[in-house]
Amino acid sequence: MAAETRTHRDEASARLRAAGLKVTESRLAVIDAFRPGEHLDADEVFRRVQTTLPTTSMQAVYGVLAALAAVNLVRKFEPAGSAARYERRIGDNHHHLVCTDCGKVTDVDCVIGEAPCLTPSDTHGFQLATAEVTFWGRCPDCQAAG
């Protein structure tokens, strides 16, 4: 195993343990499925995990994604009209740009300042922590394609 891969695996193992989760090959494989900036649905995670764990099941991937999301090791978000997406960018209050043609998702930092970035006209007594905003439009590739 290459030194870079070993270091990544060690870091992922440490994050799992710190979150109170057992380190398993399926959890490590799901974490390894993500590259920086990616927003994957469960099907894509499953396809990638199958390359290293061919006997894995879709249900196992869903279970791992749910466990990782529950302890904030991945972030789950659900753009209207499409499957839930998962990403490894956590710990900040960023938003998303979604292409209405191809479905591409891109991160965008907070709209204004720091979390929760936006303030509603009435909080109804809620103590705000985050604001989840999805911007919809056409990505540059789809614009170029006409």
Side-chain angles (χ1 to χ4, degrees), residues 93-143:
N93 186 211
H94 70 278
H95 308 299
H96 298 100
L97 302 164
V98 180
C99 181
T100 55
D101 288 355
C102 69
K104 178 182 178 178
V105 179
T106 303
D107 290 336
V108 62
D109 290 329
C110 268
V111 178
I112 301 170
E114 298 178 8
C117 303
L118 303 170
T119 305
S121 60
D122 188 344
T123 66
H124 298 279
F126 281 68
Q127 181 181 14
L128 301 179
T130 63
E132 188 169 308
V133 177
T134 304
F135 298 95
W136 297 88
R138 294 180 73 213
C139 72
D141 291 340
C142 289
Q143 290 175 61

Side-chain angles (χ1 to χ4, degrees), residues 34-35 37-40 65 73-77 85-90 92 94-96 105-107:
F34 291 87
R35 292 175 196 89
E38 287 188 318
H39 305 83
L40 306 177
L65 287 169
L73 290 179
V74 297
R75 179 179 176 189
K76 176 183 178 180
F77 71 101
R85 304 281 185 100
Y86 299 85
E87 65 181 326
R88 285 192 32 209
R89 183 175 172 182
I90 56 167
D92 66 355
H94 70 278
H95 308 299
H96 298 100
V105 179
T106 303
D107 290 336

Side-chain angles (χ1 to χ4, degrees), residues 24-36:
T24 65
E25 284 303 312
S26 59
R27 288 178 177 156
L28 290 171
V30 167
I31 290 170
D32 288 346
F34 291 87
R35 292 175 196 89

